[in-house]
Amino acid sequence: MAVDLYAILEVEASASGSEIKKAYRKLALRYHPDKASEEERHIAETKFKEISHAYEILSDEIKREEYDTYGTTDGNGASHGGQYGYSGNPYEDFYGNGGGQEYGGNDFYNFFNNMNGSNGHGARGKPNKMRTEDAEIEIEVTLEDLFRGKTIRTTSTRNIICTSCKGSGAKKSAVTKKCVTCEGEGTVRKIRRVGPGLVTQEYVQCSSCKGSGKTYRSKDKCKKCDGKRTIEETKILEFEIVKGSKSGETIVLAGESDQYPGKETGDVKLTFRTKEHATFTRKGDDLYSKYKITLVEALCGFSRVVLKHLDGRGIQICTPRGKVIRPGDFIKIKNEGMPIKSSSSGWFGNSPSKRGDLYIEMEIEFPQDNWYLEKNDLTKMKNLLPNELHSKVDIRNQTIDDDSLPEANIELVTDFTIAKKDALPDYKEPETEQEEADHGYDYDGYEAHGAQPECAQQ
Ligand SMILES: [Zn+2]
Ligand SMILES: [Zn+2]
C-alpha cells in the first residue's frame, strides 16, 4: 500500500532534511497523545505513529531514496536491517538494540519525552542538533538606571567556529575518513536507566573524532584551531535596559553564547536586579517616599523642596493655604513615578509621557516635651486653636456605676508612660491578604484610608 509520507508530514517532496525534521517536530507536538482529550486520544496515537513512521523513513537518506523510487519501503526493513542498522522497529531502534530491552510501540511516550529534553535533541538519527549552553549573567542596577534606562556593555569571550577550517578541524587538503567509532554521526548513543522499566537515552560527543564524524591524519590538523574546531573570539555585548524595566527582568541576546559545529548556538542572558534605594521604594510603576514635616508645617502649610528625584530634579511642594496635613497622609504627585514600559509598542516606542505616580508619606514631627518658653504660651496656644480641639470627652459609651460616690469609683492614674508605635510588643500576627493589597497596589483605597479620622466623632 502506497502512502504519501510527504503528505503525512505536510511537506513538499523536495523538502530538505531540516524541513522534514521541523515539520515532524511540529506535528509530533500537535498530536502528542498526552495533550489529546480522552475521546481523541486514540486518534492522536494513530496519527502520532503515522507521523513517526513517515519521519522514520524520510529522515533516512537511503530509505527516503528507496521510498521515492519505489513508493514504498514495506517489508524491506528486515532486509536492510543489517546493512543500515535498522531493525524494522522504530522504537526498538531508537532505544538501541544493544541494551537488550524490549520496547513496543507504546514506548513512544518515552520517545516523545526524550525528544522534548533540555537540549531539544533526540529526533532519531540526527542527534547532533544540540544547543550549546546558555551563558547567564546577573547584575545589580540602581533605581536611577531603571528610571533613565541604561546600556550595559560587557566583554564576551566565547568560542566560535574556526574561520580557517570552518569547524572541520582539518586542513582543506586533508584526506578525511568516516569515523569508525560513531559511524560518521559525531555522537554516540548512551542508554541510561532512570527507573524500573524506564530508560532515557543521551547522545554524547564522539571522542575519537571530536564530534565531526570524520577522522584524518594528525599532520592534517587545522593550524588555526589546532584541530579543536573552534577558536576564541572576544567582543563587546550590549544589553539595552529600557527605562521603566522591572527588577528581575532578563534580556536575551540570542545566539551569542559559544558556537560549536553542528550545534545550535545558545543565548547570553542578562538578569538585572535593583539595589535598595535610600529615598524611594518602587511598587509597580509608582514610587513611594517618606518626608518629615513639623507640626507647625502640618498646621500652617509649607513650601519646600522635599526630595531629589531619580533624574536629579528637586521636587518642591507648596501646600494650599489652610490645608492641614494629618499623620498617615500621603501627598500624591501624578506622573512622577517610574516610566511605564509599554509592552505593545516594543523596545523603541516608549512614550515618555506615560509614568506612574509618586506618593510621599507625611511624617509629622511633634515638639519636644516642655516646648513652651513660658507657662502662658500654653494658654496662648490653646486660645489659637479652635474650641473643639480643647478637650474631648469620650468614655467609649461605658457608664461608671452611679450608686457609689463619684469620687470613690474614679481612679486617678498618674503612673503611665507613652509608648511609641514601633516600641510595642511584637505579636507576630500575620498580615491579612486584604491589608497587603491595600498597602501594595490599591492606591485609591489607600488615599481614602489616609484621609479618614481614626475615631468617629460622637
Ligand atoms: Zn580550524
Ligand atoms: Zn566519531
Side-chain angles (χ1 to χ4, degrees), residues 44-259:
E45 279 178 8
T46 311
K47 189 80 186 158
F48 191 94
K49 281 181 194 173
E50 232 174 66
I51 297 160
S52 301
H53 174 69
Y55 181 66
E56 178 62 41
I57 288 158
L58 297 185
S59 63
D60 184 307
E61 265 178 50
I62 294 156
K63 278 182 238 161
R64 183 177 175 184
E65 212 183 296
E66 188 183 343
Y67 171 76
D68 287 346
T69 313
Y70 303 106
T72 178
T73 55
D74 284 0
N76 290 335
S79 68
H80 287 291
Q83 199 176 346
Y84 309 122
Y86 175 56
S87 65
N89 179 341
Y91 307 107
E92 192 182 320
D93 192 57
F94 183 74
Y95 286 105
N97 299 322
Q101 294 94 3
E102 278 179 22
Y103 291 96
N106 286 333
D107 284 298
F108 62 73
Y109 282 96
N110 285 345
F111 169 30
F112 191 86
N113 288 338
N114 194 63
M115 199 188 87
N116 262 345
S118 58
N119 289 319
H121 65 86
R124 216 191 79 82
K126 303 273 184 203
N128 293 341
K129 255 291 181 247
M130 292 187 288
R131 262 171 74 94
T132 61
E133 236 174 277
D134 291 339
E136 282 168 33
I137 310 169
E138 279 197 30
I139 57 158
E140 270 197 331
V141 291
T142 61
L143 198 55
E144 280 88 348
D145 293 337
L146 298 187
F147 187 84
R148 296 193 191 114
K150 192 178 188 176
T151 304
I152 305 281
R153 286 182 188 84
T154 168
T155 310
S156 148
T157 303
R158 64 162 180 169
N159 294 327
I160 55 163
I161 289 167
C162 175
T163 47
S164 177
C165 63
K166 305 273 180 292
S168 73
K171 282 180 191 165
K172 265 195 195 115
S173 59
V175 180
T176 58
K177 274 199 254 169
K178 195 167 157 185
C179 173
V180 281
T181 314
C182 60
E183 291 180 317
E185 286 290 328
T187 49
V188 285
R189 204 156 44 189
K190 232 174 81 182
I191 306 290
R192 196 158 58 92
R193 258 170 250 266
V194 290
L198 262 182
V199 285
T200 175
Q201 65 160 2
E202 292 174 331
Y203 287 103
V204 294
Q205 186 178 296
C206 170
S207 52
S208 309
C209 61
K210 294 196 178 67
S212 69
K214 289 172 189 148
T215 49
Y216 48 85
R217 288 178 299 175
S218 63
K219 71 176 173 89
D220 283 339
K221 220 156 54 169
C222 167
K223 288 239 161 53
K224 188 158 189 172
C225 63
D226 196 31
K228 289 193 194 89
R229 310 177 68 195
T230 57
I231 51 169
E232 268 192 2
E233 174 203 59
T234 300
K235 68 191 272 190
I236 306 289
L237 293 182
E238 274 193 11
F239 297 89
E240 185 72 29
I241 298 181
V242 178
K243 57 182 175 181
S245 296
K246 296 197 168 80
S247 186
E249 283 181 21
T250 300
I251 300 171
V252 177
L253 296 187
E256 287 293 350
S257 188
D258 285 331
Q259 294 183 350

